[in-house]
Amino acid sequence: MSLLTRIVPALLACCLSLSGHADSPGRHGDCPVLDLSDDTARQHLMDHVCYHTASPGDPGHEARSPDQLPENFAWTPANGHDLVFSHTESVYWIHLHVWNGGDPHRLWYLKLDYPLLDEVSFWQTGPDGYRSSMITGDQYPFASRQVNYRYFLLPLALASQEQRQVTIRVHSSGALNVPLALETPEEVIASSNHLTLTHGLFYGALVIFAAFNLLLFFSSGTPYYFHNAFYMAAMGLFLFAMGGFSNQYFWPESAHFANLAIPISLTLCALAMTLFGRSFLEVQADTLPATTLTTLAWFCLGFLALTFILPYSKSILLNTVLALTVIASLLVVAAIRWRQGYPPAVWYLLSWIVMLAGALVYALAAFGYLADFLARESLMQATIGGQVVLLNYALVQRWRLLNEKLLQMEHQARTELEFKVHERTAQLRSTMHELERANRKLAALSLNDALTGLHNRRHMDAALPELCAESRRTGQPLSLALIDADRFKAINDTWGHAFGDVCLQRIAEVLQRHAKRPRDVAIRFGGEEFALLLPGTDAQGARQLCEHILADLRHLIVATPDRAGLTLTMSAGVAQLVPGEAPESLFQRADEALYQAKSSGRDRVCVAALALSD
């Protein structure tokens, strides 16, 4: 704004205020009265706003309330322009005269759509002596606001024909944007819903992309996926803080950290950009681009430390310059890598061109050189959205390039190895056949008894739990019979162990002859001890089978070494699995039944009583 446009309205304000129009129903000083019931007038709010810039030394600079302002205070009409000021130590006073020209008592909200203001004070005064005030800003706890909203809302409730003087005092260590609007509650809700949808889509997309890149990092271990996730998270946090959400949701009671979070998150963004650019562009070590990016990374860490020391106005300016420098440097490095024949660099370059343009506009708005901060915020979100899409497309192109290289290497390796593989195929097949036969033999030896050909104890230990589980699942009965040769020690002592082995083989033949169903299992699990696993057979059926075996043995005569004949007898114990019973319990009950058969005179079958289930 030129010097002339500041001086002329100020002189007019003084003249009109002395002419007695201060209390006229249409004007207050040089500020026309705004009829809140007139929608068109509310849309041209800035035509009714006056302001005063109070530099250090000005009486208005030290004033803390409208009562402390001098009577000849010069107001400057805004003339329809938004109030935007760059970094300054001045205090800004804003004046608005409103009245309700309609009939009913109604409520409106004076909305200030810029959350990054240190101190914002509102006063309302009426002709009847009514007065209220609200002192807030991001130097105060968030609860100091009358409405829980990231922007500043001042409720204006006026009866019919009631007038109200609204005075605003603004002071901030950074740039000043004072975008004012007068809206009904319905309009506030509608605009809030629209912004909620926009911000929800934007931040939700950032979270999804960041989480996706983080998962890619954990699954592949590729650093640039982590750096990309870090960048999107830091950028989201920066915009969250700039938009006032962090102050509202993250640290509403910490006014100091609400300001500190903005330069911190901006420095983290610059660091993430640098790390991601170096890893994605595959910058070779000991080159000028690598040295430049490494230096910028250390600068980011240094500026991050300075953020906790320097005042906000200086740290945000330095960190903004650092972030723009990082973006410009990455543009140059990407262009170099593109010229060197690295295809993904072109998409990376496009993404940072978009980012640089949006960041410059957003920075100019944030530092008070452009009006309409809300539009610039939306432009920045669109810019970052486009950049994220381009960056992830660049990642896809890089993955495709790596995949093509991998396929080429695989094809080359396959070509080199094909001849060798062809030569050794016959030898390998022969070796595999021999190994397969050896494995079959080994499996048979490990699960079968070498003397009798029956299954051994190892097979029983593996099969019994499986059959018990199957019986519980299907409801089919399962019986276990333990069979032991009577007085076998005397046979070994009399005719020797060789003859004892012959007897065991004859017993095995009898068992195999009677346990002939496909799923019946005959087992020698130690010495003269044998077992039968009988799925689908209850205790009565198992008893009958054992009695047939014992009867068959009584008619079997084995020739002894001294040409005499020997008749073998055996004792058997039978147990049937009950619901909920463990394999160990089933074996123990069958063993107890065998002991009962032995103690009852041998050469007989005893059935264990049913056990109670757990």
Side-chain angles (χ1 to χ4, degrees), residues 98-142:
V98 298
W99 74 301
N100 181 8
D103 292 334
H105 183 283
R106 293 188 61 185
L107 172 66
W108 292 267
Y109 285 99
L110 179 62
K111 185 165 68 168
L112 200 167
D113 290 331
Y114 188 71
L116 307 178
L117 297 175
D118 293 346
E119 299 179 28
V120 184
S121 302
F122 298 90
W123 291 271
Q124 299 183 55
T125 56
D128 56 355
Y130 170 80
R131 183 167 185 174
S132 68
S133 63
M134 179 177 66
I135 300 176
T136 183
D138 59 11
Q139 291 292 340
Y140 296 86
F142 195 81

Side-chain angles (χ1 to χ4, degrees), residues 8-60:
V8 173
L11 293 174
L12 290 174
C14 293
C15 295
L16 290 175
S17 63
L18 294 173
S19 65
H21 292 289
D23 296 326
S24 64
R27 302 179 64 82
H28 180 81
D30 283 330
C31 304
V33 177
L34 189 150
D35 184 358
L36 293 174
S37 63
D38 187 347
D39 294 341
T40 303
R42 286 192 290 106
Q43 292 175 2
H44 296 84
L45 168 65
M46 299 311 296
D47 291 331
H48 302 78
V49 169
C50 292
Y51 70 96
H52 178 86
T53 303
S55 304
D58 188 294

Side-chain angles (χ1 to χ4, degrees), residues 291-314:
T291 303
T292 302
L293 294 181
T294 301
T295 303
L296 287 174
W298 283 110
F299 265 106
C300 291
L301 294 175
F303 277 43
L304 183 62
L306 288 175
T307 301
F308 295 92
I309 302 173
L310 297 176
Y312 172 82
S313 59
K314 290 184 174 58

Side-chain angles (χ1 to χ4, degrees), residues 111-431:
K111 185 165 68 168
L112 200 167
D113 290 331
Y114 188 71
L116 307 178
L117 297 175
D118 293 346
E119 299 179 28
V120 184
S121 302
F122 298 90
W123 291 271
Q124 299 183 55
T125 56
D128 56 355
Y130 170 80
R131 183 167 185 174
S132 68
S133 63
M134 179 177 66
I135 300 176
T136 183
D138 59 11
Q139 291 292 340
Y140 296 86
F142 195 81
S144 63
R145 310 183 187 193
Q146 293 185 7
V147 180
N148 183 13
Y149 192 60
R150 66 181 180 124
Y151 298 138
F152 303 102
L153 292 176
L154 177 68
L156 296 173
L158 279 73
S160 177
Q161 306 304 315
E162 182 180 1
Q163 298 185 35
R164 196 72 58 81
Q165 304 282 344
V166 179
T167 307
I168 307 173
R169 181 183 184 273
V170 181
H171 183 225
S172 188
S173 59
L176 286 178
N177 277 266
V178 191
L180 295 173
L182 267 170
E183 298 180 353
T184 63
E186 294 78 10
E187 292 170 339
V188 171
I189 293 174
S191 62
S192 176
N193 289 340
H194 174 73
L195 289 176
T196 299
L197 176 62
T198 303
H199 291 307
L201 291 174
F202 173 74
Y203 290 111
L206 273 187
V207 170
I208 291 173
F209 275 110
F212 178 68
N213 278 270
L214 202 58
L215 290 175
L216 290 176
F217 166 71
F218 287 131
S219 61
S220 66
T222 307
Y224 59 76
Y225 286 127
F226 175 79
H227 297 151
N228 194 24
F230 176 31
Y231 164 64
M232 286 185 283
M235 180 58 71
L237 182 60
F238 169 68
L239 292 179
F240 212 64
M242 287 290 292
F245 291 108
S246 297
N247 190 15
Q248 182 178 5
Y249 295 111
F250 287 172
W251 32 80
E253 301 300 324
S254 177
H256 172 69
F257 197 74
N259 268 339
L260 197 61
I262 296 175
I264 288 177
S265 57
L266 181 57
T267 310
L268 292 176
C269 282
L271 178 61
M273 295 176 198
T274 306
L275 296 176
F276 175 67
R278 176 163 182 167
S279 59
F280 177 81
L281 294 172
E282 296 184 355
V283 178
Q284 299 296 323
D286 300 327
T287 60
L288 180 59
T291 303
T292 302
L293 294 181
T294 301
T295 303
L296 287 174
W298 283 110
F299 265 106
C300 291
L301 294 175
F303 277 43
L304 183 62
L306 288 175
T307 301
F308 295 92
I309 302 173
L310 297 176
Y312 172 82
S313 59
K314 290 184 174 58
S315 65
I316 189 63
L317 181 61
L318 289 175
N319 293 348
T320 301
V321 172
L322 174 64
L324 293 175
T325 303
V326 168
I327 294 174
S329 301
L330 290 173
L331 281 172
V332 175
V333 174
I336 293 173
R337 293 292 290 132
W338 182 31
R339 293 289 300 271
Q340 291 174 349
Y342 185 62
V346 63
W347 298 103
Y348 184 90
L349 184 62
L350 288 175
S351 70
W352 285 107
I353 291 175
V354 172
M355 181 62 182
L356 180 61
L360 283 173
V361 173
Y362 189 66
L364 290 174
F367 283 105
Y369 295 102
L370 290 177
D372 199 353
F373 180 76
L374 270 180
R376 314 305 173 189
E377 183 183 49
S378 300
L379 175 63
M380 188 62 180
Q381 291 180 351
T383 297
I384 294 175
Q387 186 210 25
V388 167
V389 171
L390 288 172
L391 282 179
N392 283 273
Y393 184 75
L395 290 175
V396 171
Q397 293 301 312
R398 190 180 188 279
W399 177 86
R400 184 180 62 81
L401 180 64
L402 292 176
N403 191 47
E404 289 178 354
K405 290 182 178 178
L406 180 61
L407 290 176
Q408 291 176 358
M409 293 174 61
E410 182 181 355
H411 177 72
Q412 182 179 358
R414 185 184 298 117
T415 303
E416 292 176 354
L417 292 175
E418 185 175 356
F419 181 72
K420 295 181 180 179
V421 170
H422 185 269
E423 286 183 342
R424 297 183 181 179
T425 299
Q427 180 182 358
L428 180 60
R429 287 177 180 175
S430 176
T431 303

